[in-house]
Amino acid sequence: MRVYGIKNCDTVKKVRKFLEEAGVDYTFHDYKKDGVDADKLAGFVGEFGWEAILNKRGTTWRRLDEATQEGVVDAKSALDVMIDNPSVIKRPIVEGAAKNFIGFDAVAWEMALELGELK
């Protein structure tokens, strides 16, 4: 299992604590430290849709100039912005053994643990 995110993100901290308390082994990929793999990100966009991956509610998005924001109209333009600004990628994205996840919902994750989807 691999968790993608940013180390100081509150949601990522919750996820890491959840997984550690559940005894789930995982590798953490920090976008700030380890960079963004464009092909991997494109795969997530293909699976979840660029609208779900691009976080338009965060401060990084709000700090982008208007032209950049208005230029995001499809997967390609969204990928370009996310690669240049990893903080606009929704966090976390988790590659599980049987299923990938985006965001964190403790109840859904408890169920996924019971089904073996998070191991």
Side-chain angles (χ1 to χ4, degrees), residues 1-5 9-28 44 48 90-97 99-119:
M1 170 188 281
R2 185 169 296 244
V3 176
Y4 295 86
C9 170
D10 288 339
T11 304
V12 169
K13 288 178 186 178
K14 289 176 191 175
V15 164
R16 294 180 77 183
K17 181 179 179 188
F18 176 91
L19 293 173
E20 288 162 10
E21 289 176 353
V24 176
D25 290 328
Y26 68 93
T27 302
F28 180 65
F44 293 139
F48 296 109
K90 178 133 172 102
R91 301 177 297 268
I93 298 175
V94 177
E95 283 183 303
K99 183 177 179 182
N100 294 334
F101 298 84
I102 184 169
F104 179 62
D105 176 335
V107 173
W109 283 42
E110 285 285 345
M111 291 173 57
L113 269 175
E114 290 175 16
L115 295 172
E117 295 175 333
L118 272 176
K119 298 223 178 203

Side-chain angles (χ1 to χ4, degrees), residues 37-49 79 100:
D37 181 313
D39 291 335
K40 179 68 68 178
L41 186 58
F44 293 139
V45 167
E47 180 176 354
F48 296 109
L79 279 166
N100 294 334

Side-chain angles (χ1 to χ4, degrees), residues 20-60:
E20 288 162 10
E21 289 176 353
V24 176
D25 290 328
Y26 68 93
T27 302
F28 180 65
H29 181 100
D30 188 334
Y31 290 131
K32 298 276 187 172
K33 181 180 170 189
D34 303 319
V36 177
D37 181 313
D39 291 335
K40 179 68 68 178
L41 186 58
F44 293 139
V45 167
E47 180 176 354
F48 296 109
W50 67 269
E51 297 92 340
I53 302 288
L54 182 68
N55 180 7
K56 291 185 174 182
R57 291 191 280 172
T59 56
T60 301

